[in-house]
């Protein structure tokens, strides 16, 4: 197990390096100069050069990258061009809110998706299976930003049950676990949960169906094992794959919540990202993407390790 | 079939009377598809949407850009505007039909481009192997570190709004997954004996790929790519919804959904209409891809 863990950790390093290169290049592909947003229009050529030198933008690209990555390792992600505040602080504050949203969505989606998928796999080719398949196809096909709007129309506009935007009363940014704050979480979390419900249900259905068809299931029944105990064996066989799909989905939820955060004005990383895009605040854009992508890389790593711990066969590949 | 008394070994016997011709792969796929009502229905809907989008200017519809200050946000069922009007008084039905042009264009073209680029990269990596494989596949791994939504938004956000930029960013998003699938099926085929046999006869790498590899790997890659079209369309509309895709005043479903959000308290169901179009299209694309997968006998 330990050798597997070490090998897997070593494999992560080049990916993380690649991610940092892509994030660095993001600023380079942007049209214009990162400083155009803050440079006064009447700045002379000398003033522009001085500004560029001050930000290190006059150096060759590899040198700029080396400086950037050096600062990054020390936790310095540069300063936001729009606010002047350190990027790291802004990003981590926002990611905390996004994580709250993503985990809440996962808590809703994973049990429901697993239950639906298992029912469909167990009652394969019956009306249960068809109903679950329909639900999961609808779940993976729905544009969730639109679903968010529809839920707002039903529960905020028509019924006035739940708030339609923000993360707390009066635009409060400080989260606390009381109903006043939590009612703001309901609609975005449910909206975000729909796609993973469909994906998890689909995966678990296929898994449960395949495993139930294997000979060992018949053998267990034949030796007189109770239905419940047989299902425990099935669950254990499905666990590794099902968990890996869920782990990846959690990563997608965090990285993919930007559209939902925009719909609900949720003060998370997606919200920060869209502000960064519209203010052309490239250091902030770069930092947010980097943190989200590295989180996704870490999530992949955890998924692989957990999967290998559950199913030792994986360690040998 | 009429029973004709001929000797089946007689070469003079008309071939279509003697024995039924063995069914080819593609005619088998077609006959399975035709017998699948859900897939046929979805194919019909997608085809209708595409045709409506292409021929929108010839359908005798009104002008999708012409607004009217006095006819803003008319509800569904208004005389003359069967689906109501938007926040600038433009006819919703006309704009929804015209909207399909850009949404379907930006939703489908990147997958087609990524299909060609990804297949080329993946087949090369899978067939050549060695250092080439390592270089291509490790680069692909890096792109897998980004959730697709995040990567699309990151690239589009950096490049800025615009149709070309959306096409570029979505193509970049879908090349890595297609490359990975292409590489996996190609390395599987590469190990088979008939490839060794072909190489032993002196066929060049290009000939082996062209004659023996492509025919065997293209259908799984194609089915996989078709499963990405719905995601791509949702993402394309999503970029416009965020304001980093198509620019106003172009009719585009995601952008319409965004601009109509301001009308959510005035005329809520009207503002949800563009999303219905996205949902129906994406649902049909997904079901169509599922139907293709089973008709073409491609396993996951």
């Amino acid at each position: 197990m330990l050798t597997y863990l070490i090998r897997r950790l070593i494999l992560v390093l080049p990916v993380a390096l690649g991610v940092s290169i892509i994030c660095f290049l993001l600023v380079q592909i942007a049209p214009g100069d990162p400083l155009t947003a803050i440079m006064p229009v009447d700045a002379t050529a000398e003033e522009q050069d001085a500004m560029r030198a001050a930000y290190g933008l006059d150096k060759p690209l590899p040198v700029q990258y080396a400086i950037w990555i050096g600062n990054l390792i020390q936790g310095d992600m540069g300063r936001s061009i729009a606010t002047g505040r350190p990027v790291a602080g802004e990003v981590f504050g926002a990611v905390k809110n996004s994580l709250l949203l993503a985990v809440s969505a996962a808590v809703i989606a994973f049990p429901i998706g697993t239950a639906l998928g298992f029912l469909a796999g167990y009652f394969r080719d019956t009306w249960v299976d068809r109903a679950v398949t329909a639900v999961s196809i609808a779940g993976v096909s729905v544009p969730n930003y639109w679903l968010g709007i529809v839920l707002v129309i039903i529960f905020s506009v028509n019924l006035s049950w739940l708030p339609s935007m923000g993360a707390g009363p009066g635009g409060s940014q400080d989260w606390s676990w009381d109903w006043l704050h939590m009612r703001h979480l309901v609609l975005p979390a449910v909206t975000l949960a729909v796609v993973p419900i469909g994906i998890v249900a689909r995966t678990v259905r296929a898994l449960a169906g395949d495993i139930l068809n294997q000979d060992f299931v018949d053998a267990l029944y034949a030796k007189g094992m109770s239905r419940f105990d047989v299902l425990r064996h099935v669950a254990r066989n499905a666990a590794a794959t099902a968990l890996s799909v869920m782990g990846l989905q959690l990563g997608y939820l965090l990285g993919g919540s930007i559209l939902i955060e925009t719909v609900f004005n949720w003060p998370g990383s997606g919200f920060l990202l869209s502000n960064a895009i519209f203010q052309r605040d490239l250091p902030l854009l770069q930092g947010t993407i980097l943190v989200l992508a590295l989180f996704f890389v870490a999530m992949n790593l955890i998924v692989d390790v957990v999967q290998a711990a559950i199913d030792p066969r994986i360690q040998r590949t | 079939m009429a029973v004709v008394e001929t000797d089946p070994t007689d070469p003079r016997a008309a071939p279509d009377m003697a024995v039924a011709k063995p069914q080819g792969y593609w005619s088998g796929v077609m006959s399975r598809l035709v017998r699948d009502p859900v897939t046929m229905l979805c194919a019909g809907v997608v085809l209708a949407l595409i045709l409506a989008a292409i021929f929108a200017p010839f359908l005798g519809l009104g002008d999708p850009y012409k607004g009217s200050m006095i006819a803003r946000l008319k509800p569904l069922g208004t005389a003359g505007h069967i689906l109501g009007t938007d926040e600038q008084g433009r006819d919703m039905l006309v704009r929804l039909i015209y909207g399909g042009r850009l949404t379907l264009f930006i939703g489908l073209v990147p997958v087609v481009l990524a299909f060609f680029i990804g297949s080329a990269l993946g087949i090369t990596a899978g067939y050549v192997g060695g250092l080439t494989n390592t270089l291509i596949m490790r680069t692909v791994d890096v792109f897998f570190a980004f959730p697709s939504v995040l990567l699309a938004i990151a690239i589009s956000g950096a490049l800025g709004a615009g149709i070309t930029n959306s096409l570029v960013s979505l193509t970049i998003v879908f090349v890595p997954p297609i490359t990975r699938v292409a590489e996996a099926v190609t390395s599987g085929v590469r190990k088979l004996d008939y490839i060794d046999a072909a190489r032993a006869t002196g066929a060049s790498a290009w000939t082996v790929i062209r004659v023996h590899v492509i025919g065997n790997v293209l259908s799984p890659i194609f089915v996989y790519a078709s499963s990405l079209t719905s995601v791509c369309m949702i993402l394309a509309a999503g970029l416009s919804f965020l304001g980093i895709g198509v620019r106003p005043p172009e009719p585009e479903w995601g952008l319409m959904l965004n601009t109509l959000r301001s009308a959510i308290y005035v005329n809520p169901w009207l503002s949800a209409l563009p999303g219905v179009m996205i949902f129906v299209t994406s649902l049909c694309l997904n079901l169509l891809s599922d139907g293709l997968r089973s008709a073409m006998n491609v396993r996951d």
Side-chain angles (χ1 to χ4, degrees):
Chain A
M1 186 65 206
L2 191 66
T3 40
Y4 177 80
L5 190 67
I6 293 169
R7 214 175 56 203
R8 197 59 192 73
L9 271 174
I10 292 171
L11 280 177
V12 158
L13 285 177
V15 172
L17 199 67
V19 167
S20 75
I21 293 178
I22 291 183
C23 288
F24 176 74
L25 289 178
L26 267 183
V27 172
Q28 312 303 323
I29 62 167
D33 200 296
L35 292 177
T36 26
I38 50 165
M39 197 95 77
V41 274
D42 56 349
T44 62
E46 291 83 50
E47 282 167 345
Q48 288 189 12
D49 288 343
M51 191 81 147
R52 254 183 221 112
Y55 278 82
L57 293 170
D58 53 343
K59 299 191 175 65
L61 271 190
V63 178
Q64 283 190 41
Y65 175 73
I67 295 172
W68 180 71
I69 198 98
N71 290 338
L72 198 66
I73 289 165
Q74 298 166 42
D76 176 9
M77 297 164 73
R79 281 176 181 277
S80 157
I81 285 184
T83 63
R85 285 200 288 263
V87 168
E90 305 244 322
V91 172
F92 285 109
V95 166
K96 221 171 55 193
N97 282 337
S98 286
L99 205 56
L100 174 72
L101 186 57
V103 172
S104 311
V107 167
I108 299 170
F110 295 168
I112 296 180
T114 311
L116 287 178
F118 187 78
L119 281 174
Y122 194 77
F123 297 106
R124 199 152 224 189
D125 297 325
T126 64
W127 66 269
V128 181
D129 183 20
R130 278 189 286 276
V132 171
T133 307
V135 168
S136 68
I137 289 187
V140 295
S141 304
V142 74
N144 56 8
Y145 42 93
W146 170 72
L147 185 71
I149 294 176
V150 171
L151 291 181
V152 165
I153 292 175
I154 298 173
F155 293 101
S156 307
V157 177
N158 287 344
L159 298 171
S160 306
W161 285 355
L162 292 163
S164 63
M165 50 180 56
S172 145
Q173 301 267 329
D174 302 307
W175 179 257
S176 65
W177 288 101
D178 53 26
W179 177 238
L180 274 182
H181 285 82
M182 277 165 71
R183 59 201 291 270
H184 283 264
L185 184 61
V186 178
L187 287 183
V190 169
T191 309
L192 205 52
V194 168
V195 174
I197 285 179
I199 293 173
V200 171
R202 238 180 183 189
T203 314
V204 173
R205 171 188 179 268
L207 269 175
D210 286 352
I211 295 169
L212 282 167
N213 270 334
Q214 281 178 26
D215 291 340
F216 84 89
V217 176
D218 294 332
L220 291 177
Y221 277 126
K223 76 173 189 181
M225 192 181 261
S226 74
R227 186 172 295 262
F228 180 78
D229 285 330
V230 173
L231 291 186
R232 258 187 33 221
H233 280 265
V234 173
R236 184 166 164 123
N237 271 279
T241 313
L243 277 178
S244 76
V245 170
M246 289 181 205
L248 289 185
Q249 282 304 311
L250 185 61
Y252 280 122
L253 282 176
L254 187 72
S257 62
I258 167 164
L259 286 153
I260 300 305
E261 290 183 11
T262 309
V263 171
F264 291 98
N265 277 346
W266 184 264
S269 54
F271 195 63
L272 195 66
L273 207 54
S274 65
N275 280 345
I277 288 170
F278 290 112
Q279 295 170 341
R280 297 222 58 80
D281 191 343
L282 293 168
L284 189 60
L285 176 75
Q286 197 176 36
T288 315
I289 307 265
L290 181 74
V291 170
L292 291 177
L294 288 182
F295 180 87
F296 195 55
V297 172
M299 206 61 224
N300 270 307
L301 179 69
I302 294 169
V303 161
D304 281 1
V305 172
V306 170
Q307 203 179 8
I310 296 175
D311 187 347
R313 282 171 301 182
I314 293 168
Q315 293 174 33
R316 285 201 296 267
T317 55
Chain B
M1 194 190 289
V3 180
V4 182
E5 292 199 15
T6 43
D7 177 6
T9 55
D10 183 355
R12 285 165 305 173
D16 59 327
M17 281 194 244
V19 278
K21 264 199 295 185
Q23 214 183 18
Y25 173 71
W26 287 107
S27 59
V29 169
M30 272 317 287
S31 72
R32 280 193 292 274
L33 273 181
V34 172
R35 268 177 286 152
D36 181 351
V38 178
T39 309
M40 289 315 286
L41 179 72
C42 292
V45 173
V46 172
L47 196 66
L49 285 167
I50 292 176
L51 288 178
I54 294 174
F55 296 108
F58 309 108
L59 293 179
L61 301 161
D63 181 354
Y65 302 100
K66 191 173 149 285
S68 158
M69 287 306 280
I70 51 164
R72 286 186 299 171
L73 294 172
K74 291 280 179 224
L76 278 69
T78 307
H81 303 289
I82 190 88
L83 290 181
T85 56
D86 74 357
E87 77 286 352
Q88 296 192 27
R90 298 171 293 199
D91 185 78
M92 278 297 279
L93 178 66
V94 174
R95 278 181 75 79
L96 285 175
I97 293 174
Y98 270 92
R101 306 186 88 166
L102 281 172
T103 310
L104 289 169
F105 181 71
I106 307 175
L108 298 178
V109 168
V111 178
V112 175
L113 293 177
F115 171 71
F116 287 112
I117 302 172
S119 302
L121 286 173
I123 292 173
T124 310
Y127 187 80
V128 178
L131 185 66
T132 315
N133 181 296
T134 310
L135 272 178
I136 295 179
M137 298 320 290
R138 291 299 82 80
T139 313
V140 163
D141 283 348
V142 172
F143 281 90
F144 266 87
F146 297 89
S148 51
V149 186
L150 187 67
L151 189 59
I153 290 169
I155 300 173
S156 281
L159 288 175
I163 295 171
T164 321
N165 289 348
S166 296
L167 290 176
V168 170
S169 79
L170 289 170
T171 306
I172 295 176
V173 166
F174 290 107
V175 166
I178 294 179
T179 308
R180 202 178 251 191
V181 168
E183 193 262 352
V185 288
T186 309
S187 0
V189 169
R190 174 84 176 72
K191 291 193 200 85
L192 299 177
D193 288 341
Y194 66 83
I195 301 286
D196 288 336
R199 282 154 56 90
T201 63
S204 69
W206 170 239
T207 309
V208 177
I209 289 182
R210 192 169 48 86
V211 179
H212 301 288
V213 177
I214 287 190
N216 286 298
V217 299
L218 229 43
S219 53
I221 307 176
F222 178 75
V223 166
Y224 178 71
S226 77
S227 76
L228 297 175
T229 50
S230 121
V231 186
C232 185
M233 206 203 52
I234 291 180
L235 274 180
L239 288 178
S240 297
F241 177 73
L242 281 177
I244 48 177
V246 175
R247 292 196 185 93
E250 295 301 325
E252 197 279 340
W253 295 337
L255 185 63
M256 290 166 72
L257 201 57
N258 181 11
T259 53
L260 280 166
R261 273 177 76 203
S262 54
I264 197 167
Y265 285 92
V266 185
N267 201 336
W269 293 112
L270 179 81
S271 61
L273 273 181
V276 175
M277 300 299 290
I278 306 174
F279 185 29
V280 168
T281 316
S282 122
L283 193 64
C284 286
L285 288 172
N286 264 333
L287 288 168
L288 192 58
S289 159
D290 283 355
L292 271 181
R293 180 185 300 269
S294 47
M296 290 168 82
N297 269 326
V298 174
R299 286 176 300 273
D300 287 298

